[in-house]
Amino acid sequence: MSLRTALTRLGIVAAGGALVVGAASPALAGDDWGHHDGHHPKFYKGRVTAPGGLNLRDKPTRGSAVIGFAHYGKVVSIFCKTPGENVKGNNLWYLLADGTWAWGTARFIDNIGPVPRWC
């Protein structure tokens, strides 16, 4: 094998390993608006609009276990969005990264800034 071929293969392996490590590691909450791919922030922001606050769940459904709570007006960190159970005409749920990774219905979280990416 030529030196050029060996270096090319090494570069491909190194790049692939970096992609796997980057994809498997969620961003840290302290780096809210850092750009990891040049286009999207690691975390997005939203404000809780549910009058009595919002139950945060372990799955994007109303019947799943409540694992947290966000008070009305709280600004939350959103990692991504996914379709889930429909809540008052909105089937989107946000994966929140405020201490515990938990799901909150997008029906009661208003975006601040860009719309979150898909999970």
Side-chain angles (χ1 to χ4, degrees):
M1 169 176 8
S2 74
L3 179 58
R4 181 177 178 180
T5 303
L7 291 174
T8 300
R9 288 183 181 173
L10 180 61
I12 291 169
V13 170
L19 288 174
V20 169
V21 170
S25 303
L28 299 175
D31 193 16
D32 290 348
W33 289 101
H35 288 59
H36 67 293
D37 63 359
H39 301 295
H40 302 289
K42 292 180 182 180
F43 288 95
Y44 302 82
K45 295 290 182 184
R47 185 176 312 277
V48 174
T49 61
L54 183 63
N55 285 328
L56 305 178
R57 301 183 177 274
D58 69 346
K59 296 179 189 136
T61 64
R62 289 186 289 181
S64 62
V66 175
I67 59 173
F69 183 82
H71 293 280
Y72 172 83
K74 177 178 171 73
V75 173
V76 293
S77 295
I78 303 167
F79 185 67
C80 61
K81 66 183 173 186
T82 194
E85 183 177 351
N86 189 307
V87 177
K88 296 190 176 191
N90 189 332
N91 74 333
L92 293 178
W93 287 70
Y94 292 148
L95 179 57
L96 306 180
D98 295 302
T100 301
W101 291 78
W103 294 96
T105 175
R107 170 65 179 90
F108 294 112
I109 301 174
D110 284 348
N111 296 325
I112 300 172
V115 173
R117 68 182 167 271
W118 292 99
C119 296

